[in-house]
Amino acid sequence: MAGPDNIIIGSHVWVEDPGLAWIDGEVIRINGNEIHVNTAHGKTVVTNISKAFPKDTEAPPGGVDDMTKLSYLHEPGVLQNLATRYELNEIYTYTGNILIAVNPFQRLPHLYDTHMMEQYKGATFGELSPHVFAVGDAAYRAMINEGKSNSILVSGESGAGKTETTKMLMRYLAFLGGRSGVEGRTVEQQVLESNPVLEAFGNAKTVRNNNSSRFGKFVEIQFDKNGRISGAAIRTYLLERSRVCQISDPERNYHCFYLLCAAPPEDIERYRLGSPKTFHYLNQSSCYELDGVDDAHEYLATRRAMDIVGINDEEQESIFRVVAAILHLGNINFAKGKEIDSSVVKDEKSRFHLNMTAELLRCDAQSLEDALIKRVMVTPEEIITRSLDPENAVASRDALAKTVYSRLFDWLVDKINVSIGQDPNSKSIIGVLDIYGFESFKCNSFEQFCINFTNEKLQQHFNQHVFKMEQEEYTKEEINWSYIEFVDNQDVLDLIEKKPGGIIALLDEACMFPKSTHETFAQKLYQTFKNNKRFIKPKLSRTDFTISHYAGEVTYQANQFLDKNKDYVVAEHQALLTASECSFVRSLFPPLPEESSKSSKFSSIGSRFKLQLQSLMETLSATEPHYIRCVKPNNVLKPAIFENFNVIQQLRCGGVLEAIRISCAGYPTRRTFYDFLNRFGLLAPDVLEGNYDDKVACQLVLDKKGLKGYQVGKTKIFLRAGQMAELDARRAEVLGNAARTIQRQIRTYIARKEFISLRGAAISLQSYLRGNMARKIYDELRREGGALNIQKNLRRHIDRKSYLTMRKSAILLQTGLRSMTARNEFRFRKQTKAAITIQAHWRCYQAYSYYKSLQKAVLVSQCGWRCRVARRELKKLKMAARETGALKAAKDKLEKRVEELTWRLQLEKRLRADHEEAKAQEIAKLQDALHEMQSEVEEAKSMVIKEREAARKAIEEAPPVVKETPVIVQDTEKINSLTSEVEKLKALLLAEKQTAKEAKQAHATEQAKNVDLTKKLDDAGKKVDQLQDSVQRLEEKLSNLESENQVLRQQALSMSPTGRALAARPKTTIFQRTPENGNVVNEEIKKALPNPQLTETEEKPQKSLNEKQQENQELLIKCISQDLGFSGGKPVAACLIYKCLLHWRSFEVERTSIFDRIIQTIGASIEVADNNDLLSYWLSNSSTLLLLLQRTLKASGAASLTPQRRRSTSASLFGRMSQGLRGSPQTAGFSFLNGRLLGGLDDLRQVEAKYPALLFKQQLTAFLEKIYGMIRDKLKKEISPVLASCIQAPRTSRASLGKGRSQANAVAQQALIAHWQSIVKTLNNYLKTMRANYVPSFLICKVFTQTFSFINVQLFNSLLLRRECCSFSNGEYVKAGLAELEQWCHDATEEFAGSAWDELKHIRQAVGFLVIHQKPKKTLKEITNDLCPVLSIQQLYRISTMYWDDKYGTHSVSSDVIASMRVKMTEDSNNAVSSSFLLDDDSSIPFSMDDISKSMQQIEVAEIDPPPLIRGHSGFSFLLQHTE
């Protein structure tokens, strides 16, 4: 793939590794043809440059879904891509139109559920992720479109999952064209139910698989002309017959032998069986049991499977009798007889087995013995009987065993086909081929030779198909491919099957000669094919030979080729079994034609094998093939293990690498123009800047680089092998130069930045030094100036100091002289003043002394007199004090206590104000006691006053000495009694205070409880109101339904002759209603009752209409068939129909045709209507009319049932409370038609509807739902084609971007958003149409909510199924489109958009996850809780593994998060949680009539004007009256 010039130092390459098959690394040195590679594991490997393959460093981290998209289509690239996808649980990968399926060895139910089938149904091949359903769908579509049969070839080694893949294919085909089979079982189920039977008799343990199919199975699924499955058939090919007689260790014979040996004891006794070790056909190998398999259980399961496929007990008994006979037959041994070349049964043991075989086959034992050891030769003269030697007798025994088993297997297949049922008139089939794969063991015998011959044939067919596909691709792209060589393996096929010189022909020739041995056969091969390049003779063996197959060289051991090839029906065997008494055995061996029964014609397994293979190839050639290659990733059969060597070998054996070689012979690398320019446009920047289209730009780039031999198709560039590596090498060189330029610029920038930094530092340092020097000079100058200032100031100070000293001395001398003169003057004045003061004081003393003596004498006189008077008064006061002092003190004290008690009592009264009702009597008693005490105190006070006055008078009248009176004692007793009473009152007050305190606390507690209960009572009241309303509505609805059912039952009874008498109803009287309110007037009732004529007229039931009414109905139908429009936002047609029906009392008649005619008119309008305007018009009218009927009609008997339920409901406490809280009934405010009934709903007297009216209501409801569904589905259908473009961003040409960046970006942005704007435009059109027709906003909300849910489902499912959509740039594109939808929801307002925006939560969160940065740093908890709480683990895992960043090259979440997701997914699967990651679209009707009734406002139909067509008609005059 890569020439020496394309690998340079630094290139990333793949080199061979003994442990991993291939390992990647980087070239670190090149020495001629040798390169030194530093591997990813840190080792250095030296290898030849021709053995190194370039690695694509820009490959997506999750691999590619189609390996033809790989930049380098070689073995390590294919292996790495499969390993990467397998690690992400992406088990399917395309190689062109070939599907590679890697067995996951675990359940992946989300890949195979009905949701996934729906997604792949009708999808273009390659549009969605690779899947087995895509292959099945492609085969089915090709069969339907082209009318040609198709086949699907499922191949792979044992354990690769061929059978499971086949099951999934049949499930999908049954889903596409399934039809129930017999007894409710589908054809697919019947085919799958036959598997256990075929596996028991056709599968065996081999070296690599415990349940290997030893036959080819071609399942024909037959279809009729309509594409429906009409039948099926199972064709088996190439059963390995030799295994019956010869097996090698550690393999086993067919399962059925071991199952029969493990049968229940009664069966073993019946067939005289024992341990498998006792039978020759089983003990050639030491393996008798399989791990994890219970043969006894499997035996019973096989018997049950036989029951299912239609094999009865008698046939089962015969089948296992034949199997037991084969085991006994193998134990018959022979010894030499008395005659030459004769043989006899060896011993009694052999004789026992001979007899058992004869008994089981129901034939004669002697005849069986003769058939084994004797031959009859027919000559023209006579019939000669000859004996066989022991060796030939054993060969005869084995031939009989192989023939019987082969016939038994063919009978089982025919029986299964009869059970399934075939369609002889079927024109098209889809065949699924499940056949063994290429085998290469240490010891390869005749079985491996036949199997590998089959695979060579299939590989030739495969190669032709691949080359044909390549040719179709080249022709489609219109490129020249005439010189491409076809890789063919015809030389190997000639070596094996060519006549007369092929290996099979030589083997048959050797078998026909009695003296031939395997050595002579091998020598014949060596001589014949010594010059054949495909045939190799081993050096150390005389009997082995090697064939170079397409998958590698295989060495065969020819030791048993002759024995295993011999297969012919001996005439004696045929005659023996044809004469069997068992009808089942006779059916296995029908009589042969006369000419063929006379002698034994030679037949070989090789020739028979060749004929069957030819038949199979003819069948496949007549069909269009599709290929599925199953791969077993490891030999331990466990998940998450990918063994590179094992997979590589299977890819070789499966022909995948051969297909790659075919692709490499032509143009292995294909790139679209966009991808090519995106990757290699940098090789020619001038081309991108020019005004070229993509195709011309690609060609210019290639021509500029001098590449030859490439081809330019219509949409792709086709490169020869090695050219991609050359371009990558030149691209790496350009990128390297660019990287060096960037590095040079970065280094320049860093050096300049460092230089500028150093220069700034030097300047700063210089500035600092200069500043420091300047500061020093300044300091010196400042010090010099300072010294001069100091000297100057010092001299000035000295001079000033001397001057001041002299001045001070002069002043001091003058001061001393002046002070001496002043002191003398002061002394004289002081002496004069002192003399005057002494004189003044002496005169003052003389006057004061005289005054004091005079004053003292006066005072002495006054004091004597006053003392005398005072002593008199004192005597009087002492007398009074003795009488009143104690009483006054007690009184004062008592008053204080009374005042204190009064204050406290008032305080307690205020504190107990909240408990006045409960404590009124006690407080009254206390107040009475208090009033008594106050009166007593007042009496005591008055008595004290009286006694005081009496005492004063007595004092005045009494002599100076008065005796004590007994009054004092009496007052003291009263005081004591009052004191004791006060103490009692105080104690009583304390007790009352304590009681009041406790009562206060209890009151506070009860008050808190009361508040809580009040709140709860309010809440309960509100809930009761709601429940009361709901119950009332439900009761009314229930009563209506019961009454409707009653009416319908009565109607049904009236239809039958016997029920008409039972259905007779009491005749009702119809009274005239007043024009004011429509109520029945009592006076008129009284007047009407005596009038027999009027009563008789009104009691007649309205069963027919007169001609006038019929004319009015015709006019009404004609009127509503027109578009009457709207009046005041109300649909005129609905109001008109309602008013007319109500006036005509059509709801109350038992037979009328008006309802059917209205329904027919509406149905005719919407059936032919293709425009949204008409659908919206009738949606508005039907919803309005239905609302009016809902609020007006009630079934007969509803009025008598509802009040009882209301009374029973209101009888409870909450019922009474809710009735009290609801308020007046006028709050409902429902104004009825024409003023006929006024007031609220409670006052409304509804019309009792008959059967036709109730049926009309039901039909109208169905039409409403139908019209709603038509509008919704029409909207979905219009936006559905645009959604496919909305999930993936359209690509912009790289070449066109060079024409002008700003203009190109603007055009690109406009193109990107155009699809979303188209959706928004469609939504606006529908919203405008429905609003113009006054469709209720509730219905508009539902339409857009379900539409947005549909958008969410389609976008999200497409995102999960198409890897190219899970990219960063695509996330930005979808996010921008979702912003358009969000803006639309905002503009449409919540009234019409409702919760539509919330319906996009899945796609919003998924897109949000795509466009976030630093995904590897996010934990699983952050993703599931914060970023994407709505998405399931399966959905997050799918997005995380499919994500790729085409813009910035970032990675998805970390491997730890991926591992955590896997663990959670495993837990979910174990817990039976649904693991489907796809969403379902809800197409149900999301509302009921109650929802519409609650959401729509009251309608005043009286305000509607009649249309002109009926305005002047006399029959509709009531419309004008009500309008007026």
Side-chain angles (χ1 to χ4, degrees), residues 311-312 314-319 321-322 360-362 403-415 573-592:
I311 302 176
N312 58 40
E314 183 180 352
E315 291 172 336
Q316 292 180 34
E317 175 73 19
S318 301
I319 289 170
R321 196 166 58 245
V322 171
L360 292 172
L361 294 177
R362 303 286 175 86
T403 302
V404 171
Y405 192 83
S406 175
R407 297 283 182 93
L408 174 63
F409 187 78
D410 292 341
W411 183 91
L412 283 171
V413 174
D414 293 340
K415 185 69 177 180
H573 297 169
Q574 177 73 31
L576 172 72
L577 297 178
T578 302
S580 171
E581 297 178 1
C582 177
S583 59
F584 179 79
V585 175
R586 286 200 306 272
S587 66
L588 297 181
F589 291 86
L592 295 176

Side-chain angles (χ1 to χ4, degrees), residues 1091-1152:
N1091 189 348
Q1093 184 178 359
L1094 179 62
T1095 304
E1096 183 179 357
T1097 304
E1098 292 184 348
E1099 284 180 352
K1100 291 182 179 179
Q1102 297 180 357
K1103 295 184 178 180
S1104 62
L1105 295 172
N1106 55 29
E1107 295 181 358
K1108 185 67 176 176
Q1109 290 174 326
Q1110 209 159 15
E1111 181 184 351
N1112 293 341
Q1113 289 182 7
E1114 292 287 347
L1115 196 58
L1116 175 63
I1117 297 300
K1118 182 178 180 182
C1119 186
I1120 64 173
S1121 62
Q1122 303 174 1
D1123 188 350
L1124 301 181
F1126 301 86
S1127 175
K1130 306 176 185 66
V1132 175
C1135 297
L1136 179 64
I1137 294 171
Y1138 176 73
K1139 291 166 73 174
C1140 291
L1141 294 178
L1142 196 63
H1143 180 77
W1144 295 336
R1145 305 183 65 181
S1146 301
F1147 300 127
E1148 302 173 53
V1149 299
E1150 296 192 3
R1151 288 188 180 179
T1152 180

Side-chain angles (χ1 to χ4, degrees), residues 68-229:
T68 58
K69 299 178 182 177
L70 290 173
S71 300
Y72 302 107
L73 193 60
H74 47 53
E75 187 174 296
V78 170
L79 184 67
Q80 174 65 17
N81 190 66
L82 289 177
T84 301
R85 291 178 60 81
Y86 183 72
E87 185 179 356
L88 300 177
N89 269 350
E90 297 287 345
I91 62 173
Y92 293 115
T93 307
Y94 291 135
T95 300
N97 60 349
I98 304 163
L99 179 67
I100 299 176
V102 185
N103 195 338
F105 293 117
Q106 60 179 331
R107 293 175 62 251
L108 299 174
H110 63 278
L111 286 181
Y112 307 106
D113 53 17
T114 308
H115 300 158
M116 194 65 74
M117 293 184 184
E118 287 285 356
Q119 295 298 322
Y120 281 89
K121 184 177 181 180
T124 305
F125 187 83
E127 178 184 352
L128 303 179
S129 300
H131 204 287
V132 65
F133 293 161
V135 178
D137 193 80
Y140 184 79
R141 300 300 162 193
M143 180 195 71
I144 295 297
N145 297 333
E146 300 174 9
K148 183 179 180 182
S149 297
N150 282 251
S151 60
I152 303 174
L153 282 70
V154 183
S155 64
E157 73 172 41
S158 299
K162 299 189 299 296
T163 303
E164 286 299 319
T165 302
T166 304
K167 290 179 182 178
M168 294 305 163
L169 277 170
M170 287 191 288
R171 272 190 59 207
Y172 184 75
L173 293 174
F175 171 77
L176 291 178
R179 187 171 70 190
S180 296
V182 182
E183 299 177 357
R185 294 182 298 134
T186 63
V187 171
E188 166 231 357
Q189 289 173 331
Q190 295 180 73
V191 172
L192 295 181
E193 286 165 355
S194 67
N195 279 338
V197 179
L198 293 178
E199 288 179 359
F201 289 86
N203 288 22
K205 180 192 181 309
T206 61
V207 176
R208 293 185 179 177
N209 187 12
N210 291 342
N211 190 32
S212 176
S213 299
R214 307 317 297 167
F215 66 99
K217 180 171 66 175
F218 188 71
V219 181
E220 292 182 1
I221 300 178
Q222 300 161 346
F223 294 85
D224 58 18
K225 60 182 180 180
N226 297 322
R228 308 285 291 177
I229 293 179

